[in-house]
Amino acid sequence: MSQNTFKKKIKKGSSSKGSGKNIFSLIEEKLNVTGILGEGVPVHFAPPFFYAAMLALIYIWSNHRAENMIRKIEITQQEVEDIRADVTTLEAEYMLSSKQSEVARKIAPLGIVEIDEPPMKIKMKK
């Protein structure tokens, strides 16, 4: 019995479109793919290649997630700083408005006046 073999194509002269080579045949010629891989694609290289490709994808995804998380943290920190500044301003306004002189100034239009003399202490005899 004879063995199966690939049929070899015989190259004819130049065609009507010039050299008759397309981009893929030029790439194959320049890279010498058949010299590196032989006549077929070695299937035993597929699992390590897919494993490395999967690791690369996981690495890219991980970096993408980390960068997104850093962006979210920076935005949140900026919001916290803004809120902290607002709280500080409100506390300062509250402390100012609770001073005795400010309270007296605010209630003066209502006709309530501040007493000038200190309160008296009432003593009871037993």
Side-chain angles (χ1 to χ4, degrees):
M1 283 207 152
S2 66
Q3 216 174 22
N4 288 339
T5 58
F6 288 106
K7 209 179 215 185
K8 301 214 178 204
K9 291 184 180 180
I10 301 172
K11 291 186 179 181
K12 295 182 181 179
S14 63
S15 65
S16 62
K17 289 187 177 180
S19 65
K21 295 183 179 180
N22 61 15
I23 185 107
F24 298 111
S25 62
L26 289 174
I27 291 173
E28 184 178 359
E29 207 175 88
K30 296 294 180 192
L31 292 179
N32 193 14
V33 176
T34 55
I36 296 170
L37 299 178
E39 288 297 318
V41 177
V43 180
H44 65 278
F45 288 139
F49 173 76
F50 288 128
Y51 179 72
M54 183 62 111
L55 287 179
L57 287 175
I58 290 172
Y59 178 74
I60 292 168
W61 174 79
S62 167
N63 281 342
H64 181 70
R65 283 278 292 193
E67 288 176 3
N68 280 343
M69 188 62 67
I70 288 171
R71 266 189 238 112
K72 287 179 183 178
I73 288 171
E74 288 175 354
I75 290 170
T76 306
Q77 283 178 342
Q78 185 62 41
E79 289 175 0
V80 166
E81 289 298 318
D82 292 344
I83 292 171
R84 185 175 289 140
D86 291 343
V87 166
T88 304
T89 305
L90 290 174
E91 283 177 352
E93 289 175 4
Y94 176 71
M95 293 301 288
L96 179 67
S97 68
S98 66
K99 289 170 88 177
Q100 183 178 354
S101 59
E102 287 294 315
V103 172
R105 187 180 58 82
K106 287 181 182 178
I107 62 169
L110 299 174
I112 302 171
V113 292
E114 185 179 359
I115 57 171
D116 293 333
E117 49 194 55
M120 295 175 24
K121 188 174 186 182
I122 301 174
K123 293 183 182 177
M124 225 170 118
K125 292 182 182 180
K126 288 187 181 181

